[in-house]
Amino acid sequence: MKTRTLLAPILFGAALTLPFPLAAQHDPAALQQKALSDDTAYAIVEDLTTEIGPRLAGTEREAAARAWAVERLKAMGFANVRIEPFDMKTWVRGIETAEVTAPFTGSMHISALGNSASTGEKGLEAEVVYFRTMADLDAAPEGSLKGKIAFVSHKMTRTQTGASYGQFGDVRRRGPAIAAKKGAAAIVIRSVGTDYHRNPHTGGTNFPEGVTPIPAAALSIPDAENLERMIRRAQPAGKPVTMKLVLTPRQIGITQSGNVIAEVPGSDPDAGIILVGGHLDSWDLGTGAIDDGAGVAITAAAAKLVMDAGKPKRTIRVVWFGAEEVGLFGGIAYAKKHGAANHALAMESDFGAGRIWQVEFKLPETAKDLQTKITNALAPMGIGKGAGAAGGGPDVGPTVALGVNAVDLQQDGTDYFDLHHTPDDTLDKIDPKMMQQNVAAWATVLGIVANDPADLLPKGK
């Protein structure tokens, strides 16, 4: 007992003269407390949506957003801020109108899908052929839609995870090409969303090589349901429903997009990089607040909190990806340029700013302690561990596919598809307190992973 008594003041005095360990600098509870009163993320998305606004990939507005992002990230204190450009084919919107002309009449709210062809300025008027589901369109005989407008409906369901988007989004992603193969002159779809506003949901579609693009657009959900009712009432009398479409989008050729990169340099280059971010581009109907101004803001604000708390062991690389909406071009370009080497972990925020409620992992067996640390640190925030495997997110997905680890912080997406790709994607839909909760969860994970001793680097196959 006497020995311990004598040693105690000596050890205490030594502790006062030595630097605190890195892990102590990034104490999860302290980071959480700081984040829950920090308005950095909201300020970023407020300024981005106000000063830049919509940021359609490949356009001048996306280029303005990149220049803005470089200045903002430098001002926040990040290092090695730069743009990594890439070229892409660029599509822009034109005039968009739809009107039922017989046997009933009425205008409808509509939005062209990315890569839609043009009807020409005079428009296109034709009979509408109704398909209840994507499977029904798949089953239509070849050539059966010649000269007609296909109309595909569905009933997307509201879920916390947004899981139904994968299934019902198939109507938008694949439907126009299938309709084109079957001879359709154009296609309209029920918007892929869950709201009941007269706001159509845009989004990209794809026409494979050898398939000539046709005009393709989404109807607002109330208008799509009205069109269904019109068709049901016209059928007993054998009267076709006809619609006139005017869509004048165009392809403007090869332009430039790019990824904006910034870093929090780590003390140990051999420990690897933590890749985090969201996408800077947006669709052009709203101002890109939830998709994905929120994501770039949350990840940058969390990385700054870690940076301000002290130098981490691992480098945190913040990437604001370009051209996600039109084909994940930024994520693909990043993975092609950087590969998996020296990437310890990848994470992304691209699901709005709803409350984070669950965490999922893709970590090696040797990192079980790290997983436990993260789970325990998030538990006081009411965030539980999910049973699924993390995928990282759409932009970091190509990097994760190369063998890089991932952690997913799952946001509540119950209302996300009310706003997704619509004119309603605006700043007022973000709850600042919910955004702070996101930043707190992100800072917690980054602070732990940035200093954990686990070997997280990809292993050669």
Side-chain angles (χ1 to χ4, degrees), residues 119-203:
T119 63
E121 291 183 2
K122 293 183 178 180
L124 162 70
E125 186 172 4
E127 178 184 348
V128 176
V129 181
Y130 172 61
F131 299 95
R132 188 173 60 88
T133 67
M134 186 64 208
D136 293 336
L137 176 62
D138 282 326
E142 295 294 323
S144 63
L145 297 179
K146 187 171 178 61
K148 298 177 181 179
I149 298 172
F151 166 43
V152 188
S153 190
H154 59 90
K155 185 73 172 179
M156 183 177 175
T157 51
R158 185 184 298 276
T159 66
Q160 185 179 28
T161 64
S164 64
Y165 181 58
Q167 175 185 348
F168 294 103
D170 189 45
V171 173
R172 190 196 77 218
R173 291 186 290 266
R174 197 168 59 87
I178 298 302
K181 289 179 182 178
K182 297 178 187 292
I187 182 173
V188 294
I189 67 168
R190 174 185 170 125
S191 281
V192 182
T194 52
D195 65 307
Y196 272 87
H197 300 130
R198 291 189 81 184
N199 285 331
H201 297 237
T202 190

Coordinates of all heavy atoms in Angstrom, one line a residue, residues 119-203:
T119 N -40.0 15.2 -78.0 CA -41.2 15.1 -79.0 C -41.1 16.0 -80.1 O -41.9 15.9 -81.1 CB -42.5 15.3 -78.2 OG1 -42.5 16.7 -77.8 CG2 -42.7 14.4 -77.0
G120 N -40.2 17.0 -80.0 CA -40.2 18.2 -80.9 C -41.1 19.2 -80.4 O -42.0 18.9 -79.5
E121 N -41.0 20.4 -80.8 CA -41.7 21.5 -80.3 C -43.2 21.4 -80.5 O -44.0 21.9 -79.7 CB -41.2 22.9 -80.9 CG -39.8 23.2 -80.4 CD -39.4 24.6 -81.0 OE1 -40.2 25.2 -81.7 OE2 -38.2 25.0 -80.7
K122 N -43.6 20.7 -81.6 CA -45.1 20.6 -81.9 C -45.7 19.5 -81.0 O -46.9 19.4 -80.9 CB -45.3 20.2 -83.4 CG -44.9 21.4 -84.3 CD -45.2 21.1 -85.7 CE -44.9 22.3 -86.6 NZ -45.1 21.9 -88.1
G123 N -44.9 18.6 -80.4 CA -45.4 17.6 -79.5 C -45.8 16.4 -80.2 O -45.7 16.2 -81.4
L124 N -46.4 15.5 -79.5 CA -46.8 14.1 -79.9 C -48.2 13.8 -79.3 O -48.4 13.9 -78.1 CB -45.8 13.1 -79.5 CG -46.2 11.6 -79.5 CD1 -46.4 11.1 -80.9 CD2 -45.2 10.8 -78.7
E125 N -49.2 13.4 -80.1 CA -50.5 13.0 -79.6 C -50.8 11.6 -80.0 O -50.6 11.3 -81.2 CB -51.6 14.0 -80.2 CG -52.9 13.7 -79.5 CD -54.0 14.7 -79.9 OE1 -53.7 15.6 -80.7 OE2 -55.1 14.6 -79.4
A126 N -51.1 10.8 -79.1 CA -51.3 9.3 -79.4 C -52.2 8.7 -78.3 O -52.4 9.3 -77.2 CB -50.0 8.6 -79.5
E127 N -52.6 7.5 -78.6 CA -53.4 6.7 -77.7 C -52.5 6.2 -76.5 O -51.3 5.9 -76.7 CB -54.0 5.5 -78.4 CG -54.8 4.5 -77.5 CD -55.2 3.3 -78.2 OE1 -55.2 3.2 -79.5 OE2 -55.7 2.3 -77.5
V128 N -53.1 6.2 -75.3 CA -52.4 5.7 -74.1 C -52.7 4.3 -73.9 O -53.9 3.9 -73.9 CB -52.8 6.6 -72.9 CG1 -52.1 6.0 -71.6 CG2 -52.4 8.1 -73.1
V129 N -51.7 3.5 -73.7 CA -51.9 2.0 -73.4 C -51.4 1.8 -71.9 O -50.3 2.1 -71.6 CB -51.1 1.1 -74.3 CG1 -51.3 -0.3 -73.9 CG2 -51.5 1.4 -75.8
Y130 N -52.3 1.3 -71.1 CA -52.1 1.3 -69.6 C -51.5 -0.1 -69.2 O -52.0 -1.1 -69.6 CB -53.4 1.5 -68.9 CG -53.3 1.3 -67.4 CD1 -52.5 2.0 -66.6 CD2 -54.2 0.3 -66.8 CE1 -52.5 1.9 -65.2 CE2 -54.1 0.1 -65.4 CZ -53.3 0.9 -64.7 OH -53.2 0.7 -63.3
F131 N -50.5 0.0 -68.4 CA -49.9 -1.2 -67.7 C -49.9 -1.0 -66.2 O -49.3 0.0 -65.8 CB -48.5 -1.4 -68.3 CG -48.4 -1.7 -69.7 CD1 -48.1 -0.6 -70.6 CD2 -48.6 -2.9 -70.3 CE1 -48.1 -0.8 -72.0 CE2 -48.6 -3.2 -71.6 CZ -48.3 -2.1 -72.5
R132 N -50.4 -1.9 -65.5 CA -50.6 -1.7 -64.1 C -49.2 -1.8 -63.4 O -49.0 -1.2 -62.4 CB -51.5 -2.8 -63.5 CG -51.9 -2.6 -62.0 CD -53.0 -3.6 -61.6 NE -52.5 -5.0 -61.8 CZ -51.9 -5.7 -60.9 NH1 -51.6 -5.2 -59.7 NH2 -51.5 -6.9 -61.2
T133 N -48.3 -2.7 -63.9 CA -47.0 -2.9 -63.3 C -45.9 -3.0 -64.4 O -46.2 -3.2 -65.5 CB -47.0 -4.2 -62.5 OG1 -47.1 -5.3 -63.4 CG2 -48.1 -4.3 -61.4
M134 N -44.7 -3.0 -63.9 CA -43.6 -3.2 -64.8 C -43.6 -4.6 -65.4 O -43.3 -4.7 -66.6 CB -42.3 -2.9 -64.1 CG -41.0 -3.0 -64.9 SD -41.0 -1.6 -66.1 CE -40.0 -2.4 -67.4
A135 N -44.0 -5.5 -64.7 CA -44.1 -6.9 -65.2 C -45.1 -7.0 -66.4 O -44.9 -7.7 -67.3 CB -44.5 -7.9 -64.1
D136 N -46.2 -6.2 -66.3 CA -47.2 -6.2 -67.4 C -46.6 -5.6 -68.6 O -46.8 -6.1 -69.8 CB -48.4 -5.4 -67.0 CG -49.2 -6.1 -65.9 OD1 -49.1 -7.3 -65.7 OD2 -49.9 -5.4 -65.1
L137 N -45.8 -4.6 -68.5 CA -45.1 -4.0 -69.7 C -44.1 -5.0 -70.2 O -44.0 -5.2 -71.5 CB -44.4 -2.7 -69.3 CG -43.5 -2.1 -70.4 CD1 -44.4 -1.6 -71.5 CD2 -42.7 -0.8 -69.8
D138 N -43.4 -5.7 -69.4 CA -42.4 -6.7 -69.9 C -43.1 -7.8 -70.7 O -42.6 -8.3 -71.7 CB -41.7 -7.4 -68.7 CG -40.6 -6.6 -68.1 OD1 -39.9 -5.8 -68.8 OD2 -40.4 -6.6 -66.8
A139 N -44.4 -8.1 -70.3 CA -45.1 -9.2 -71.0 C -45.8 -8.7 -72.3 O -46.3 -9.6 -73.0 CB -46.1 -9.7 -70.0
A140 N -45.8 -7.4 -72.6 CA -46.5 -7.0 -73.8 C -45.8 -7.5 -75.0 O -44.5 -7.6 -75.1 CB -46.4 -5.4 -73.8
P141 N -46.5 -7.9 -76.0 CA -45.9 -8.5 -77.3 C -45.1 -7.5 -78.0 O -45.3 -6.2 -77.9 CB -47.2 -8.8 -78.1 CG -48.3 -9.0 -77.1 CD -48.0 -8.0 -76.1
E142 N -44.0 -8.0 -78.7 CA -43.2 -7.1 -79.4 C -44.0 -6.4 -80.5 O -44.9 -7.0 -81.2 CB -42.1 -7.9 -80.1 CG -41.1 -8.6 -79.1 CD -40.3 -7.6 -78.4 OE1 -39.9 -6.5 -78.9 OE2 -40.0 -7.8 -77.2
G143 N -43.8 -5.1 -80.7 CA -44.5 -4.3 -81.7 C -45.8 -3.9 -81.3 O -46.5 -3.1 -82.1
S144 N -46.3 -4.3 -80.1 CA -47.7 -4.0 -79.8 C -48.0 -2.5 -79.4 O -49.1 -2.1 -79.4 CB -48.2 -4.9 -78.6 OG -47.4 -4.6 -77.5
L145 N -46.9 -1.8 -79.2 CA -47.1 -0.4 -78.8 C -46.7 0.6 -79.9 O -46.6 1.8 -79.6 CB -46.2 -0.1 -77.5 CG -46.5 -0.9 -76.3 CD1 -45.5 -0.5 -75.2 CD2 -47.9 -0.6 -75.8
K146 N -46.6 0.1 -81.1 CA -46.2 1.0 -82.2 C -47.1 2.2 -82.3 O -48.3 2.1 -82.4 CB -46.2 0.2 -83.5 CG -45.6 1.0 -84.7 CD -45.5 0.1 -85.9 CE -45.0 0.9 -87.1 NZ -43.6 1.4 -86.8
G147 N -46.4 3.4 -82.2 CA -47.1 4.6 -82.4 C -47.9 5.1 -81.2 O -48.6 6.1 -81.2
K148 N -47.8 4.4 -80.0 CA -48.7 4.7 -78.9 C -47.8 5.2 -77.7 O -46.6 5.0 -77.7 CB -49.5 3.4 -78.5 CG -50.4 2.9 -79.6 CD -51.1 1.7 -79.2 CE -52.1 1.2 -80.3 NZ -52.8 0.0 -80.0
I149 N -48.5 5.7 -76.7 CA -47.9 6.2 -75.5 C -48.1 5.1 -74.4 O -49.3 4.8 -74.0 CB -48.4 7.5 -75.0 CG1 -48.1 8.6 -76.1 CG2 -47.8 7.9 -73.7 CD1 -48.8 9.9 -75.7
A150 N -47.0 4.5 -73.9 CA -47.2 3.5 -72.8 C -47.3 4.3 -71.5 O -46.7 5.4 -71.3 CB -46.0 2.6 -72.7
F151 N -48.2 3.8 -70.6 CA -48.4 4.4 -69.3 C -48.2 3.3 -68.3 O -49.0 2.3 -68.3 CB -49.7 5.1 -69.2 CG -50.2 5.4 -67.8 CD1 -49.3 6.0 -66.8 CD2 -51.5 5.2 -67.3 CE1 -49.6 6.3 -65.5 CE2 -51.9 5.5 -66.1 CZ -51.0 6.0 -65.2
V152 N -47.2 3.4 -67.4 CA -46.9 2.3 -66.4 C -47.2 2.9 -65.0 O -46.6 3.9 -64.7 CB -45.5 1.8 -66.5 CG1 -45.4 0.6 -65.6 CG2 -45.2 1.4 -68.0
S153 N -48.0 2.2 -64.3 CA -48.3 2.6 -62.9 C -47.7 1.6 -61.9 O -47.0 0.7 -62.3 CB -49.8 2.7 -62.7 OG -50.1 3.3 -61.5
H154 N -47.9 1.9 -60.7 CA -47.4 1.0 -59.6 C -47.9 1.6 -58.3 O -48.6 2.6 -58.4 CB -45.8 0.9 -59.6 CG -45.2 2.3 -59.5 ND1 -44.8 2.8 -58.2 CD2 -44.8 3.2 -60.4 CE1 -44.3 4.0 -58.4 NE2 -44.3 4.3 -59.7
K155 N -47.5 1.1 -57.2 CA -47.9 1.6 -55.9 C -46.7 1.5 -55.0 O -46.6 0.6 -54.2 CB -49.1 0.9 -55.4 CG -49.7 1.5 -54.1 CD -50.4 2.8 -54.3 CE -51.2 3.2 -53.0 NZ -51.9 4.5 -53.2
M156 N -45.8 2.5 -55.0 CA -44.7 2.5 -54.2 C -45.1 2.6 -52.7 O -46.0 3.4 -52.4 CB -43.7 3.6 -54.5 CG -42.5 3.6 -53.7 SD -41.3 4.9 -54.1 CE -40.1 4.7 -52.9
T157 N -44.5 1.8 -51.8 CA -44.9 1.8 -50.4 C -44.0 2.7 -49.6 O -42.8 2.7 -49.9 CB -45.0 0.4 -49.9 OG1 -43.7 -0.3 -50.2 CG2 -46.1 -0.4 -50.5
R158 N -44.5 3.3 -48.6 CA -43.7 4.1 -47.6 C -43.0 3.2 -46.6 O -43.7 2.4 -45.9 CB -44.7 5.1 -47.0 CG -44.0 6.1 -46.1 CD -45.0 7.0 -45.4 NE -45.9 7.7 -46.3 CZ -45.5 8.9 -46.8 NH1 -44.4 9.5 -46.5 NH2 -46.3 9.5 -47.7
T159 N -41.7 3.3 -46.5 CA -41.0 2.5 -45.5 C -40.0 3.4 -44.8 O -39.5 4.4 -45.4 CB -40.3 1.3 -46.1 OG1 -39.3 1.8 -47.0 CG2 -41.3 0.4 -46.9
Q160 N -39.5 2.9 -43.6 CA -38.5 3.7 -42.9 C -37.2 3.6 -43.6 O -36.4 4.6 -43.6 CB -38.4 3.1 -41.5 CG -37.4 3.9 -40.6 CD -37.3 3.4 -39.2 OE1 -37.5 2.2 -39.0 NE2 -37.0 4.2 -38.2
T161 N -36.9 2.5 -44.2 CA -35.6 2.3 -44.9 C -35.5 2.7 -46.3 O -34.4 2.7 -46.9 CB -35.2 0.8 -44.8 OG1 -36.1 0.0 -45.5 CG2 -35.2 0.3 -43.3
G162 N -36.7 3.0 -46.9 CA -36.7 3.3 -48.4 C -36.5 2.0 -49.2 O -36.2 2.1 -50.4
A163 N -36.7 0.8 -48.6 CA -36.4 -0.4 -49.3 C -37.2 -0.6 -50.6 O -36.8 -1.2 -51.5 CB -36.6 -1.6 -48.4
S164 N -38.4 0.0 -50.6 CA -39.3 -0.2 -51.8 C -38.8 0.5 -53.0 O -39.3 0.2 -54.1 CB -40.7 0.2 -51.5 OG -40.8 1.6 -51.2
Y165 N -37.9 1.5 -52.8 CA -37.4 2.2 -54.0 C -36.7 1.3 -55.0 O -36.8 1.6 -56.2 CB -36.4 3.3 -53.5 CG -35.9 4.2 -54.6 CD1 -36.7 4.9 -55.4 CD2 -34.5 4.3 -54.7 CE1 -36.1 5.8 -56.4 CE2 -33.9 5.2 -55.7 CZ -34.8 5.9 -56.5 OH -34.3 6.7 -57.5
G166 N -36.0 0.3 -54.5 CA -35.3 -0.6 -55.4 C -36.3 -1.2 -56.4 O -36.0 -1.3 -57.6
Q167 N -37.4 -1.7 -55.9 CA -38.4 -2.4 -56.7 C -39.1 -1.5 -57.6 O -39.2 -1.7 -58.8 CB -39.4 -3.2 -55.8 CG -40.5 -3.9 -56.6 CD -41.5 -4.5 -55.7 OE1 -41.3 -4.6 -54.5 NE2 -42.7 -4.9 -56.3
F168 N -39.7 -0.4 -57.0 CA -40.6 0.4 -57.8 C -39.8 1.4 -58.7 O -40.3 1.9 -59.7 CB -41.5 1.2 -56.9 CG -42.5 0.2 -56.2 CD1 -42.3 -0.1 -54.9 CD2 -43.6 -0.3 -56.9 CE1 -43.2 -1.0 -54.3 CE2 -44.4 -1.2 -56.3 CZ -44.3 -1.5 -55.0
G169 N -38.5 1.7 -58.3 CA -37.7 2.5 -59.2 C -37.4 1.8 -60.5 O -37.0 2.5 -61.5
D170 N -37.6 0.5 -60.6 CA -37.3 -0.2 -61.9 C -38.2 0.4 -63.0 O -37.8 0.3 -64.2 CB -37.6 -1.7 -61.6 CG -37.2 -2.6 -62.8 OD1 -36.1 -2.4 -63.3 OD2 -38.0 -3.4 -63.2
V171 N -39.4 0.8 -62.7 CA -40.3 1.4 -63.7 C -39.6 2.6 -64.4 O -39.8 2.8 -65.6 CB -41.6 1.9 -63.0 CG1 -42.5 2.6 -64.0 CG2 -42.4 0.7 -62.4
R172 N -38.9 3.4 -63.6 CA -38.3 4.6 -64.2 C -37.0 4.2 -64.9 O -36.7 4.7 -66.0 CB -38.0 5.6 -63.1 CG -37.5 6.9 -63.6 CD -36.8 7.7 -62.5 NE -35.5 7.3 -62.2 CZ -35.0 7.2 -60.9 NH1 -35.7 7.6 -59.9 NH2 -33.7 6.8 -60.8
R173 N -36.2 3.3 -64.2 CA -34.9 3.0 -64.7 C -34.9 2.2 -66.0 O -34.2 2.4 -67.0 CB -34.0 2.3 -63.7 CG -33.7 3.1 -62.5 CD -32.7 2.4 -61.6 NE -33.4 1.3 -60.9 CZ -34.0 1.4 -59.7 NH1 -34.0 2.5 -59.0 NH2 -34.6 0.4 -59.1
R174 N -35.8 1.2 -66.1 CA -35.9 0.3 -67.2 C -37.1 0.4 -68.1 O -37.1 0.0 -69.3 CB -35.8 -1.1 -66.6 CG -35.4 -2.2 -67.5 CD -35.1 -3.5 -66.8 NE -36.2 -4.0 -66.0 CZ -37.2 -4.8 -66.5 NH1 -37.2 -5.2 -67.7 NH2 -38.2 -5.2 -65.7
G175 N -38.2 1.0 -67.6 CA -39.4 1.0 -68.3 C -39.3 1.7 -69.7 O -39.8 1.2 -70.7
P176 N -38.7 2.9 -69.8 CA -38.6 3.6 -71.1 C -37.9 2.8 -72.1 O -38.4 2.7 -73.3 CB -37.9 4.9 -70.7 CG -38.3 5.2 -69.3 CD -38.3 3.8 -68.7
A177 N -36.9 2.1 -71.8 CA -36.2 1.3 -72.8 C -37.0 0.1 -73.2 O -37.0 -0.3 -74.4 CB -34.8 0.8 -72.2
I178 N -37.7 -0.6 -72.3 CA -38.6 -1.7 -72.7 C -39.7 -1.2 -73.6 O -40.1 -1.8 -74.6 CB -39.2 -2.4 -71.4 CG1 -38.0 -2.9 -70.6 CG2 -40.1 -3.5 -71.8 CD1 -37.1 -3.9 -71.3
A179 N -40.3 -0.1 -73.2 CA -41.4 0.5 -74.1 C -40.9 0.8 -75.5 O -41.5 0.6 -76.5 CB -42.0 1.7 -73.4
A180 N -39.7 1.4 -75.5 CA -39.1 1.7 -76.8 C -38.9 0.4 -77.7 O -39.1 0.4 -78.9 CB -37.7 2.4 -76.6
K181 N -38.4 -0.6 -77.0 CA -38.2 -1.9 -77.8 C -39.5 -2.5 -78.3 O -39.5 -3.2 -79.3 CB -37.5 -2.9 -76.8 CG -36.1 -2.7 -76.5 CD -35.6 -3.7 -75.5 CE -34.1 -3.4 -75.1 NZ -33.6 -4.5 -74.2
K182 N -40.6 -2.2 -77.7 CA -41.9 -2.7 -78.1 C -42.6 -1.7 -79.0 O -43.8 -1.9 -79.3 CB -42.8 -3.0 -76.9 CG -42.1 -4.2 -76.0 CD -42.9 -4.5 -74.8 CE -42.2 -5.5 -73.9 NZ -42.1 -6.8 -74.5
G183 N -41.9 -0.7 -79.5 CA -42.5 0.2 -80.5 C -43.1 1.5 -80.0 O -43.7 2.2 -80.8
A184 N -43.1 1.7 -78.7 CA -43.8 2.9 -78.2 C -43.3 4.2 -78.7 O -42.0 4.3 -78.9 CB -43.8 2.9 -76.7
A185 N -44.2 5.1 -79.0 CA -43.7 6.5 -79.4 C -43.2 7.3 -78.2 O -42.4 8.2 -78.4 CB -44.8 7.2 -80.1
A186 N -43.7 7.0 -77.0 CA -43.4 7.7 -75.8 C -43.8 6.9 -74.6 O -44.6 5.9 -74.8 CB -44.0 9.1 -75.8
I187 N -43.4 7.3 -73.4 CA -43.8 6.6 -72.2 C -44.0 7.6 -71.1 O -43.3 8.6 -71.0 CB -42.8 5.5 -71.7 CG1 -43.3 4.8 -70.5 CG2 -41.4 6.1 -71.5 CD1 -42.5 3.6 -70.1
V188 N -45.1 7.4 -70.3 CA -45.2 8.2 -69.1 C -45.4 7.2 -67.9 O -45.9 6.1 -68.1 CB -46.5 9.2 -69.1 CG1 -46.2 10.3 -70.1 CG2 -47.7 8.4 -69.4
I189 N -44.9 7.5 -66.8 CA -44.9 6.6 -65.6 C -45.5 7.4 -64.4 O -45.5 8.6 -64.4 CB -43.6 6.1 -65.2 CG1 -42.6 7.2 -64.7 CG2 -42.9 5.3 -66.4 CD1 -41.4 6.7 -64.0
R190 N -46.1 6.6 -63.5 CA -46.5 7.2 -62.2 C -45.1 7.5 -61.5 O -44.2 6.7 -61.5 CB -47.3 6.2 -61.4 CG -47.6 6.7 -60.0 CD -48.3 5.6 -59.3 NE -48.4 5.8 -57.8 CZ -49.6 5.8 -57.2 NH1 -50.7 5.5 -57.8 NH2 -49.6 6.1 -55.9
S191 N -45.0 8.7 -61.0 CA -43.8 9.1 -60.3 C -43.4 8.1 -59.2 O -44.2 7.5 -58.5 CB -44.0 10.5 -59.6 OG -43.9 11.5 -60.5
V192 N -42.1 7.9 -59.1 CA -41.6 7.0 -58.1 C -41.5 7.8 -56.8 O -40.5 8.4 -56.5 CB -40.2 6.4 -58.5 CG1 -39.7 5.4 -57.5 CG2 -40.3 5.7 -59.9
G193 N -42.5 7.7 -56.0 CA -42.6 8.5 -54.8 C -43.8 8.1 -53.9 O -44.5 7.2 -54.3
T194 N -43.9 8.8 -52.8 CA -45.0 8.4 -51.8 C -45.9 9.6 -51.5 O -46.7 9.5 -50.6 CB -44.3 7.9 -50.6 OG1 -43.3 8.8 -50.1 CG2 -43.7 6.5 -50.8
D195 N -45.7 10.8 -52.1 CA -46.4 12.0 -51.7 C -47.7 12.0 -52.5 O -47.9 11.3 -53.5 CB -45.6 13.2 -52.0 CG -45.3 13.4 -53.5 OD1 -44.8 12.4 -54.1 OD2 -45.6 14.4 -54.0
Y196 N -48.6 12.9 -52.2 CA -49.8 13.2 -53.0 C -49.9 14.7 -53.3 O -51.0 15.3 -53.2 CB -51.1 12.7 -52.2 CG -51.3 11.2 -52.6 CD1 -50.7 10.2 -51.8 CD2 -52.1 10.9 -53.7 CE1 -50.9 8.9 -52.2 CE2 -52.3 9.6 -54.0 CZ -51.7 8.6 -53.3 OH -51.9 7.2 -53.6
H197 N -48.8 15.2 -53.7 CA -48.8 16.6 -54.2 C -48.7 16.5 -55.7 O -48.2 15.5 -56.3 CB -47.6 17.4 -53.7 CG -47.6 17.5 -52.2 ND1 -46.5 17.2 -51.4 CD2 -48.5 17.8 -51.3 CE1 -46.8 17.3 -50.1 NE2 -48.0 17.7 -50.0
R198 N -49.0 17.6 -56.4 CA -48.9 17.6 -57.9 C -47.5 18.0 -58.3 O -47.3 18.9 -59.1 CB -50.0 18.5 -58.5 CG -51.4 18.0 -58.3 CD -52.4 18.7 -59.1 NE -52.4 18.3 -60.5 CZ -53.2 18.9 -61.4 NH1 -53.9 20.0 -61.1 NH2 -53.1 18.5 -62.7
N199 N -46.6 17.3 -57.7 CA -45.1 17.5 -58.0 C -44.6 16.2 -58.6 O -44.5 15.2 -57.9 CB -44.4 17.7 -56.7 CG -44.6 19.1 -56.2 OD1 -44.8 20.1 -56.9 ND2 -44.5 19.3 -54.9
P200 N -44.3 16.2 -59.9 CA -43.7 15.0 -60.4 C -42.3 14.7 -59.9 O -41.6 15.7 -59.5 CB -43.7 15.3 -61.9 CG -43.7 16.8 -62.0 CD -44.5 17.3 -60.8
H201 N -41.9 13.5 -59.9 CA -40.6 13.1 -59.4 C -39.7 12.8 -60.7 O -40.0 11.8 -61.4 CB -40.6 11.8 -58.6 CG -41.3 12.0 -57.3 ND1 -40.7 11.8 -56.0 CD2 -42.6 12.4 -57.0 CE1 -41.6 12.0 -55.1 NE2 -42.7 12.3 -55.6
T202 N -38.7 13.5 -60.9 CA -37.8 13.2 -62.1 C -36.8 12.1 -61.6 O -37.0 11.5 -60.6 CB -37.1 14.5 -62.6 OG1 -36.4 14.2 -63.8 CG2 -36.1 15.0 -61.5
G203 N -35.8 11.9 -62.4 CA -34.8 10.9 -62.2 C -34.3 10.4 -63.5 O -34.9 10.6 -64.6

